[in-house]
Amino acid sequence: MKKRLNKNIFCYRFLGILSIVLLVSSCKTKQDSGSVAMQHRNNQELISAVVSNTVEYDKFSAKLNIELKPGQRHPEASAPASLRIIKGKAMMLSFQIPVLSVELFKMVVTPDSILIIDRKSKVYVSEAIESVSDALNFTFEYQNLEALFTNQLFIAGKTNITPDDYRSLQVKQEEYAAHISFKDMQGLIYTFTSDYTDRVRKTEIESANKFRRMSWAYDDFAVLQNNKIFPLKMNMILTLPSDEARMNLSYSKIELNGDFSIDLSIPRNYRRITLSDAVKIINNL
């Protein structure tokens, strides 16, 4: 019998779900990091190098495979999916039936709303972000999710980082890595680890009491069509006091600034359900 989730655990599980919902026909030679010593620079130069070394785009699309281990009591699952992002406006993650490439489930997140459509059960969820935040007692930031999927250094709630923001970031430089960190208004601690290539290799988000933590690591970097380096593999680990969820993303194709839109329409004959019902559906995928 499933235990009812309390608000704090539900909050972080929902962050993991969003990360699920929540590359390489355009790529060239793969680039991997080794134990190469970093060049010591002042903090502003280091942050600027990491920011300028991320992939710039207005639209981002990719094919990927997702392997998910929702928790210790749940079996592993794997499914093909597609990802579409219109920067600063909307992000869609669509799961397909293997081989048939028919959409089974999708989630669309915008700065203002969240839409979940389950085509198998013919149900949907449509909620304002404010309602979701109130229900979870947790302020959700759309920009954070977008940045995690696109290997970006970010400040919670901000679309872009400017030189004026650098003073709010703490930097610790080591021989082989640098750690850039800050604390947001909710007390969450964000830490970005970069290496000698000035790329984000890991993003960590941790509660102030350190009981809950998400690690999002990047690996298997390759050159895209704009000569920027991007990771073909991402690994997310969500650690809770009594459980741990894992997700592996493997990209097979990336296209930057392609011609596409994100569909927010809802089929007429679909039944609206609550967010709690949707979480149950996602856990059973």
Side-chain angles (χ1 to χ4, degrees):
M1 182 174 180
K2 288 187 179 179
K3 292 183 179 179
R4 184 177 179 182
L5 298 175
N6 64 42
K7 276 192 174 182
N8 285 336
I9 293 177
F10 182 60
C11 157
Y12 283 88
R13 182 162 291 179
F14 185 66
L15 177 61
I17 290 169
L18 287 174
S19 300
I20 296 167
V21 301
L22 305 270
L23 281 167
V24 277
S25 63
S26 59
C27 301
K28 300 177 184 176
T29 307
K30 293 182 179 179
Q31 306 274 328
D32 290 312
S33 174
S35 298
V36 178
M38 296 187 64
Q39 175 188 1
H40 186 83
R41 292 159 288 179
N42 67 51
N43 292 347
Q44 289 201 353
E45 287 177 338
L46 189 148
I47 296 170
S48 178
V50 174
V51 170
S52 63
N53 207 28
T54 55
V55 171
E56 296 180 0
Y57 67 92
D58 293 317
K59 291 184 175 182
F60 179 101
S61 64
K63 298 291 184 182
L64 63 160
N65 190 72
I66 296 179
E67 296 177 354
L68 175 66
K69 176 69 173 175
Q72 296 176 0
R73 299 181 184 90
H74 297 277
E76 294 184 6
S78 177
S82 62
L83 173 67
R84 288 184 174 182
I85 300 174
I86 300 177
K87 190 171 185 179
K89 295 182 179 180
M91 173 178 173
M92 182 192 77
L93 192 60
S94 170
F95 291 86
Q96 290 90 39
I97 298 174
V99 181
L100 299 178
S101 297
V102 176
E103 184 177 78
L104 180 65
F105 175 92
K106 81 172 179 180
M107 184 178 207
V108 180
V109 185
T110 75
D112 303 316
S113 65
I114 178 170
L115 172 66
I116 301 172
I117 296 178
D118 176 10
R119 299 194 183 279
K120 180 180 179 181
S121 302
K122 294 187 176 181
V123 296
Y124 74 96
V125 174
S126 180
E127 298 284 352
I129 288 297
E130 290 84 356
S131 299
V132 175
S133 297
D134 290 343
L136 302 179
N137 193 25
F138 180 88
T139 302
F140 170 71
E141 302 285 0
Y142 165 81
Q143 291 84 359
N144 297 10
L145 184 64
E146 191 176 274
L148 285 168
F149 274 90
T150 54
N151 190 221
Q152 307 279 321
L153 175 66
F154 63 91
I155 292 178
K158 298 199 66 171
T159 304
N160 296 300
I161 297 180
T162 68
D164 290 338
D165 297 318
Y166 295 173
R167 292 188 294 272
S168 65
L169 301 175
Q170 297 181 344
V171 178
K172 179 182 178 181
Q173 297 191 50
E174 300 174 347
E175 184 177 2
Y176 297 110
H179 308 281
I180 304 169
S181 62
F182 71 91
K183 181 184 290 187
D184 72 6
M185 297 296 291
Q186 301 177 80
L188 295 176
I189 302 167
Y190 297 72
T191 302
F192 304 87
T193 299
S194 65
D195 62 5
Y196 75 101
T197 63
D198 293 325
R199 297 195 297 265
V200 176
R201 299 300 301 246
K202 182 185 291 185
T203 298
E204 297 169 285
I205 305 175
E206 187 174 49
S207 62
N209 59 17
K210 301 186 184 300
F211 290 160
R212 297 170 177 84
R213 179 171 175 267
M214 186 184 73
S215 172
W216 194 294
Y218 304 94
D219 200 5
D220 203 12
F221 287 77
V223 183
L224 302 184
Q225 68 240 31
N226 62 353
N227 292 321
K228 288 287 188 176
I229 306 296
F230 193 84
L232 307 185
K233 295 186 183 299
M234 301 181 186
N235 172 255
M236 187 275 287
I237 302 175
L238 180 66
T239 304
L240 302 171
S242 60
D243 208 350
E244 182 178 274
R246 292 174 176 266
M247 177 180 68
N248 295 320
L249 306 177
S250 299
Y251 290 81
S252 58
K253 183 179 181 181
I254 290 177
E255 183 180 3
L256 302 177
N257 303 321
D259 183 16
F260 66 82
S261 60
I262 293 179
D263 184 11
L264 293 171
S265 64
I266 301 168
R268 286 186 182 180
N269 59 338
Y270 279 35
R271 176 173 56 90
R272 187 171 185 172
I273 61 174
T274 66
L275 186 60
S276 297
D277 291 332
V279 171
K280 294 176 183 177
I281 292 171
I282 294 170
N283 284 338
N284 290 327
L285 283 177

